[in-house]
């Protein structure tokens, strides 16, 4: 079954007429996604490779039955785009844009609570369910269908781990990049819950990094609510305190959010922590063999 | 983005938050002049971004204008070393000269965005144990710290103020005075897209008034596009020139103390690459994320930046091509090697989109490099290179 995406997912691409939006729409279609509409305000009536473009998300919902959205717009327009998709009742909203002010996310999180929408990201590579489709910009060629769930705060680390799995013949149910911002729509805990309830997923790979306490919250969930095996890696063991390591959310502040704290929380929760990133695939193979 | 105390106090004043009477001095003579004008005791405070100034001798009380001159000379004449600056210290270019208040009590008040899922909103952090750093308060008297979250759609309300006042032990008319004070502070936080507003200490004076003795405001970098007035407050002297140069080119670069220069795409992979170098027994010289949209020009720029660090003895390039194409990275490396006459040995791992083409470009050039297939193999090879030299 995989999670989040299914055969009924009908995707609208917000920002489809932009360079990135157009390119990744084609890649998504190649991967098997059903893209039914695009939205660019002021460009309604156009089409991109036969995909109709509308001025607003609500039109894409009403005319094409869009129920999922991929947002590829510049950061200064992204909060507007997310709230428009929530307002139009889109169930799954995936925002790739990097650099949205954090106070916008504070407000968006509150709006999401009173809506039926789920947000993935922002500042993320999206999600991919091999055999079903993808939303976002993970490279197509690395994936393979199977029973491993992957969830990560980092884009390239997601690719790295997926490749290691695929090279060993281990496929993935769904891979999700949840995003590198301090406040994000879908957290580690949310993703773990989805994987725990997904029949296809046998094992979960979780890739965390320094900053915040999302890893510690995930540890609580794994300890109390999960019976599927979880293998984890934390990036930033050598990161200096007080410095933002690329991602807006990757910062050790006031001595909090260190890799050491997170690793210890995970170990206590029974997560198998891998120290050497290069061994993620091999460790997954070993755990699956024992099952 | 960080600003100086005097700049934060200027913003406070604009909003009506009481701060001590004071002026900025660029020379010790100016400091003396301000002290004469103030007539009486003054405090001379180094204006640097690093915290812990008091511990490093960056804050001095002066009883006379002559003492203010001496204090400013001493502070500006040598590098200031605080627990946050590292042992090299930093230069002090300006000092703030302020009146000395008669203090009854010292409190702590701050606003941050709390990322924990129970909050995910601005949160007031307050304690009656002001004057020491919040980390220290958390260690010594955690029970004195109160956290009050503010819903972004309701904003700051009276009960928020009463709850914080009670925790700070304020009574009578001080309760509503504090409430007004905090309401204004919250408005600054929201108006300016701050990521931190901190007053430590917030003092109650002997005559029963609140005053922000210190002021710290950090801003959300991602929101600066809508605050040109804040952007102008940036003090370039406080930043590492290489990091500024990198950020102008769209590169995330942070200098570290090791000898292996790294170039990676993606923040997570860049951190993990540093970790792998350490695991293989080496020390990374930097964090560098060239990003998903890197052009050959940006790669070349990145090379120039991290190789200008004289400690770098070997280089590791680790690229996982997704959107970023490996052939473009290779082209950038070849150009950089030619233009900066690169002699530092290098290990290259190219994976993903157009990795074969990338390797071919490198092979057909004069660039000397070793290829690595695996991640850990790459780290081990580059560490071995530094060992051979010693």
């Amino acid at each position: 079954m995989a999670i989040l995406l299914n055969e009924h997912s009908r995707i609208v691409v917000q920002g489809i007429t932009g360079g990135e939006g157009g390119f990744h729409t084609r890649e998504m279609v190649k991967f098997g996604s059903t893209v039914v509409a695009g939205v660019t305000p002021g460009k309604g009536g156009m089409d991109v490779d036969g995909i109709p473009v509308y001025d607003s998300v609500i039109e894409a919902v009403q005319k094409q039955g869009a129920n999922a959205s991929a947002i590829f717009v510049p950061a200064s327009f992204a909060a507007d785009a997310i709230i428009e998709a929530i307002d139009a009742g889109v169930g799954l909203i995936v925002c790739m844009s990097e650099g949205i002010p954090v106070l916008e996310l504070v407000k968006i999180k509150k709006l999401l609570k009173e809506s039926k929408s789920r947000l993935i990201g922002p500042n993320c590579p999206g999600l991919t369910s091999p055999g079903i489709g993808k939303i976002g910009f993970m490279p197509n060629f690395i994936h393979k269908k199977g029973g491993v769930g992957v969830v990560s705060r980092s884009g390239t680390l997601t690719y790295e781990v997926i490749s290691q799995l695929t090279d060993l013949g281990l496929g993935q149910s769904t891979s999700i990049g949840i995003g590198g911002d301090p406040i994000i729509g879908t957290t580690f805990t949310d993703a773990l819950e989805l994987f725990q309830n997904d029949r296809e997923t046998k094992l979960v790979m979780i890739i965390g990094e320094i900053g915040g306490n999302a890893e510690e919250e995930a540890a609580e969930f794994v300890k109390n609510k999960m019976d599927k095996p979880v293998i984890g890696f934390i990036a930033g063991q050598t990161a200096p305190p007080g410095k933002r390591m690329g991602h807006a959310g990757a910062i050790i502040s006031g001595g909090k959010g260190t890799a050491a704290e997170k690793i210890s929380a995970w170990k206590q929760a029974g997560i198998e922590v891998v120290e050497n990133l290069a061994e993620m695939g091999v460790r997954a193979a070993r755990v699956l063999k024992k099952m | 983005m960080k600003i100086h105390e005097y700049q934060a106090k200027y913003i406070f004043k604009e909003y009506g938050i009481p701060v001590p009477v004071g002026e900025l001095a660029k020379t010790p003579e100016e400091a003396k002049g301000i002290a004469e004008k103030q007539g009486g005791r003054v405090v001379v405070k180094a204006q640097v971004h690093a915290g812990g100034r008091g511990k490093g001798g960056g804050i001095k009380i002066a009883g006379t204008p002559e003492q203010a001159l001496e204090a400013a000379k001493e502070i500006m004449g040598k590098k200031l070393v605080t627990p946050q600056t590292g042992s090299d210290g930093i230069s002090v270019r300006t000092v703030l000269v302020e009146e000395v208040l008669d203090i009854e009590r010292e409190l702590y008040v701050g606003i941050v965005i709390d990322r924990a899922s129970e909050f995910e909103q601005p949160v007031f952090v307050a304690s009656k144990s002001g004057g020491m750093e919040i980390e220290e308060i958390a260690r010594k008297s955690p029970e004195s710290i109160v956290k009050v979250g503010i819903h972004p759609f309701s904003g700051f309300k009276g009960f928020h103020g009463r709850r914080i006042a009670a925790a700070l032990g304020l009574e009578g008319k001080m309760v509503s005075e504090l409430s007004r004070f905090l309401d204004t502070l919250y408005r600054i936080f929201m108006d300016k897209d701050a990521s931190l507003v901190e007053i430590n200490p917030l003092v109650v004076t002997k005559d029963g008034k609140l005053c922000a003795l210190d002021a710290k405001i950090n801003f959300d970098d991602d929101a600066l596009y809508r605050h040109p007035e804040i952007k102008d407050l940036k003090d370039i002297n406080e930043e590492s020139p290489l990091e500024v140069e990198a950020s102008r080119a769209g590169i995330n670069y942070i200098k570290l103390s090791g000898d292996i220069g790294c170039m990676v795409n993606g923040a997570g992979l860049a951190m993990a690459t540093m970790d792998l170098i350490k695991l293989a027994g080496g020390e990374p010289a930097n964090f560098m994320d060239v990003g998903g949209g890197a052009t050959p020009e940006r790669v070349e720029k990145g090379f120039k930046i991290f190789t200008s660090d004289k400690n770098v003895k070997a280089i590791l390039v680790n690229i996982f091509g997704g959107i970023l194409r490996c052939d473009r990275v290779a082209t950038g490396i070849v150009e950089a090697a030619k233009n900066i006459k690169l002699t530092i040995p290098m290990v290259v791992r190219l994976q993903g989109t157009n990795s074969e083409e990338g390797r071919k470009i490198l092979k057909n050039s004069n660039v000397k490099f070793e290829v690595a297939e695996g991640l850990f193999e790459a780290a081990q090879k580059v560490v071995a290179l530094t060992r051979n030299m010693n």
Side-chain angles (χ1 to χ4, degrees):
Chain A
M1 241 316 281
I3 61 169
L4 298 166
L5 278 174
N6 58 45
E7 66 272 27
H8 306 298
S9 299
R10 295 172 67 79
I11 301 165
V12 51
V13 177
Q14 293 176 253
I16 195 168
T17 56
E20 277 193 47
F23 177 78
H24 293 297
T25 298
R26 278 172 216 117
E27 292 294 305
M28 286 193 274
V29 171
K30 274 188 218 159
F31 199 76
S33 304
T34 309
V35 179
V36 297
V39 168
T40 301
K43 299 213 169 150
M46 276 180 58
D47 75 277
V48 171
D49 294 354
I51 300 165
V53 178
Y54 299 96
D55 287 321
S56 66
V57 177
I58 191 75
E59 283 176 88
V61 169
Q62 285 167 351
K63 293 183 178 149
Q64 298 297 335
N67 55 19
S69 154
I71 300 180
F72 289 100
V73 304
S76 53
F77 300 110
D80 185 355
I82 294 170
I83 296 170
E84 183 182 359
I86 297 173
D87 183 72
V90 174
L92 177 65
I93 304 165
V94 186
C95 181
M96 272 52 75
S97 317
E98 175 173 8
I100 305 177
V102 67
L103 281 177
E104 298 291 344
L105 263 303
V106 164
K107 291 173 190 159
I108 286 167
K109 273 304 279 245
K110 306 296 179 199
L111 290 173
L112 284 166
K113 282 204 174 119
E114 54 182 63
S115 77
K116 291 195 179 90
S117 303
R118 168 190 291 285
L119 171 69
I120 309 271
N123 189 13
C124 78
L127 71 150
T128 306
S129 295
I132 297 171
K134 73 163 188 178
I135 298 183
F137 57 63
M138 286 193 214
N140 287 352
F141 64 90
I142 56 177
H143 304 272
K144 174 185 161 71
K145 190 173 166 56
V148 183
V150 179
V151 58
S152 167
R153 277 167 71 186
S154 144
T156 38
L157 278 183
T158 320
Y159 313 162
E160 181 65 47
V161 170
I162 294 170
S163 294
Q164 287 183 23
L165 292 168
T166 298
D167 286 348
L168 293 168
L170 308 175
Q172 306 89 42
S173 53
T174 301
S175 302
I176 320 173
I178 57 173
D181 276 1
I183 296 183
I184 50 178
T186 295
T187 62
F188 273 141
T189 307
D190 300 331
L192 288 173
E193 188 169 9
L194 292 166
F195 280 130
Q196 170 65 24
N197 296 330
D198 173 45
R199 278 219 322 249
E200 197 185 343
T201 305
K202 307 281 178 250
L203 159 77
V204 181
M205 312 288 282
I206 178 169
I207 304 138
E209 62 191 34
I210 55 160
N213 71 337
E215 287 77 8
E216 285 84 344
E217 292 183 359
E220 278 301 303
F221 181 82
V222 171
K223 191 154 77 183
N224 300 321
K225 303 274 173 64
M226 271 191 96
D227 56 15
K228 292 182 183 176
V230 181
I231 299 178
F233 174 80
I234 303 269
Q237 297 173 47
T238 49
K243 288 280 189 179
R244 217 165 275 285
M245 307 300 282
H247 288 151
I251 181 166
I252 299 169
S253 49
K256 290 279 170 202
T258 63
E261 286 174 324
K262 292 169 189 297
I263 289 170
S264 135
W266 277 8
K267 282 186 176 162
Q268 278 170 31
I271 297 176
E272 183 173 335
V273 180
V274 178
E275 208 186 334
N276 183 340
L277 174 67
E279 288 174 7
M280 287 291 271
V282 183
R283 297 284 274 273
R286 209 180 294 160
V287 170
L288 283 171
K289 209 170 181 181
K290 275 194 236 157
M291 288 170 74
Chain B
M1 183 189 131
K2 293 178 177 175
I3 59 172
H4 290 296
E5 174 193 6
Y6 79 90
Q7 295 169 313
K9 282 181 169 165
Y10 188 77
I11 295 175
F12 279 8
K13 263 199 274 191
E14 274 184 312
Y15 276 77
I17 293 229
V19 297
V21 177
E23 271 181 72
L24 187 73
K26 294 194 176 73
T27 62
E29 288 68 31
E30 277 181 30
K32 186 184 173 200
I34 296 164
E36 273 163 3
K37 233 181 352 185
Q38 297 263 6
R41 291 169 72 206
V42 291
V43 56
V44 182
K45 305 175 84 177
Q47 296 300 289
V48 291
H49 287 177
R53 289 172 301 174
K55 289 180 187 132
I59 300 177
K60 293 184 189 303
I61 303 267
T64 64
E66 283 67 34
Q67 281 178 12
L69 178 84
E70 289 310 311
K73 268 188 187 162
E74 208 175 312
I75 291 171
M76 297 169 93
K78 59 169 197 258
K79 294 245 174 169
L80 178 65
V81 180
T82 86
Q84 291 182 19
T85 57
S87 53
D88 286 350
I90 41 172
S91 324
V92 181
R93 290 180 170 78
T94 54
V95 291
L96 179 62
V97 183
E98 282 184 337
E99 64 175 330
V100 176
L101 300 174
D102 287 326
I103 296 165
E104 175 81 36
R105 296 183 54 195
E106 294 192 328
L107 312 169
Y108 173 94
V109 170
I111 313 176
V112 291
I113 303 261
D114 196 313
R115 299 163 64 170
S117 59
E118 58 175 312
F119 288 116
E120 294 191 310
Q121 62 192 6
V123 169
F124 273 94
V125 181
S127 165
K128 52 183 153 195
S129 313
M132 52 182 159
E133 279 168 45
I134 185 68
E135 290 82 13
E136 202 178 335
I137 303 175
R139 268 199 315 276
K140 289 186 178 159
S141 53
E143 73 292 340
S144 78
I145 296 176
V146 62
K147 284 171 114 181
V148 176
I150 310 294
H151 195 294
F153 296 144
S154 72
F156 187 88
K157 293 288 173 226
F159 81 92
H160 293 129
R162 292 192 290 277
R163 191 181 293 170
I164 296 169
L168 295 179
L170 296 179
E171 289 168 340
K173 70 171 181 51
M174 290 303 291
V175 175
S176 55
E177 195 177 326
L178 179 82
S179 205
R180 269 197 306 278
F181 189 101
L182 299 181
D183 188 12
T184 311
L185 213 57
Y186 179 75
R187 216 164 61 231
I188 294 173
F189 189 89
M190 299 302 279
D191 283 0
K192 302 288 182 190
D193 274 299
S195 55
L196 169 83
V197 173
E198 188 181 69
I199 303 179
N200 190 20
L202 163 65
V203 300
V204 182
T205 58
K206 286 252 156 67
D207 52 356
K209 295 264 188 309
L210 289 170
C211 186
L213 208 61
D214 197 4
K216 187 170 171 185
I217 310 181
N218 295 349
F219 301 93
D220 178 0
D221 291 328
D222 288 337
L224 289 177
Y225 74 90
R226 55 189 186 193
H227 297 287
E229 82 286 3
I230 302 292
K231 242 188 197 164
D232 291 344
L233 299 178
K234 184 173 243 181
D235 181 356
I236 215 83
N237 293 316
E238 288 279 339
E239 323 229 337
S240 134
L242 280 179
E243 288 175 22
V244 172
E245 198 183 334
S247 110
R248 284 206 187 107
I251 298 169
N252 270 308
Y253 168 79
I254 294 167
K255 189 183 172 310
L256 303 167
S257 53
D259 55 7
I260 298 173
C262 331
M263 173 178 281
V264 189
N265 66 320
L269 191 59
M271 276 189 273
T273 302
M274 286 162 39
D275 296 347
L276 281 164
I277 289 171
K278 183 92 176 178
L279 197 62
E283 288 289 341
N286 65 277
F287 165 91
M288 181 178 282
D289 167 17
V290 286
T295 56
E297 294 73 35
R298 198 193 285 180
V299 170
E300 186 182 340
K301 185 87 192 172
F303 255 77
K304 280 185 187 158
I305 288 168
F306 75 73
T307 53
S308 67
D309 172 359
K310 295 295 164 235
N311 294 330
V312 171
K313 289 197 201 120
I315 297 168
L316 175 57
V317 177
N318 182 17
I319 301 292
F320 198 109
I323 324 171
L324 178 62
R325 287 164 25 195
C326 290
D327 54 323
R328 303 176 79 179
V329 175
T331 308
I333 296 176
V334 172
E335 280 303 305
K338 201 159 57 189
N339 294 338
I340 61 178
K341 302 192 176 59
L342 188 71
T343 52
I344 305 168
M346 169 163 56
V347 175
V348 178
R349 176 187 183 244
L350 299 176
Q351 284 286 315
T353 311
N354 293 1
S355 53
E356 274 307 313
E357 288 87 335
R359 268 178 235 134
K360 229 176 265 169
I361 290 170
L362 287 175
K363 268 179 200 143
N364 294 336
S365 74
N366 296 324
V367 179
K368 275 199 211 120
F369 69 101
E370 282 186 44
V371 178
E373 292 289 334
L375 252 184
F376 195 49
E377 179 199 343
Q380 285 172 318
K381 275 190 172 169
V382 78
V383 172
L385 283 177
T386 60
R387 293 269 161 76
N388 292 343
M389 280 177 275
N390 295 334

